[in-house]
Amino acid sequence: QAQLVESGGNSVQAGGSLRLSCASSRYTNARDSMAWFRQAPGKEREGVAAIVVNAYLGTAPTYYADSVKGRFTISRDNAKNTLYLQMNSLKPEDTAMYYCAAVRKGGGTWYDSADYTYWGQGTQVTVSS
């Protein structure tokens, strides 16, 4: 069982930056796709960004929700078993609980939460105007 632990959430003013981290207690194989999701109160969980590994092609492209393109950057350090989300130019609408997810089951899109096997408990990001 993989254990994913997020950290880095905080309260910031609009325009500020935060870096979220997701540490895996299990070896995060470079072949594992990983992603960040978020969920605001009263809203559905939505995909924010993902690193989608295609082991056959040897590629690992990144994908972003339109709402965060150009502001957020997803990255990973396999040696440290850690996934990151650098968030710049934060807006009040970015306020949500942020979750990391790992290991896709296959068959869904990168932003389909049902397609991920392992989840962290979340870290809260609050952006004030």
Side-chain angles (χ1 to χ4, degrees):
Q1 283 282 346
Q3 180 179 9
L4 305 176
V5 180
E6 302 95 335
S7 62
N10 210 330
S11 295
V12 296
Q13 290 193 328
S17 297
L18 286 173
R19 188 176 82 155
L20 305 184
S21 299
C22 172
S24 174
S25 64
R26 126 191 205 278
Y27 174 64
T28 305
N29 194 301
R31 294 186 175 189
D32 292 336
S33 295
M34 298 188 73
W36 287 98
F37 284 76
R38 67 185 180 186
Q39 188 167 18
K43 294 188 176 181
E44 294 187 355
R45 190 168 295 191
E46 63 173 350
V48 176
I51 297 175
V52 179
V53 177
N54 187 319
Y56 179 75
L57 296 177
T59 61
T62 55
Y63 295 88
Y64 297 91
D66 288 342
S67 59
V68 306
K69 281 180 182 177
R71 300 188 298 120
F72 291 10
T73 303
I74 188 172
S75 62
R76 69 194 296 175
D77 185 333
N78 290 325
K80 295 182 178 180
N81 299 335
T82 302
L83 180 74
Y84 301 100
L85 184 68
Q86 177 66 43
M87 306 187 296
N88 299 326
S89 302
L90 283 161
K91 304 175 180 180
E93 50 264 43
D94 295 319
T95 295
M97 184 72 78
Y98 283 71
Y99 301 89
C100 71
V103 186
R104 294 178 68 196
K105 302 173 187 177
T109 60
W110 71 263
Y111 49 84
D112 182 359
S113 62
D115 199 40
Y116 290 84
T117 305
Y118 302 112
W119 290 85
Q121 293 301 306
T123 185
Q124 178 67 38
V125 172
T126 302
V127 184
S128 58
S129 57

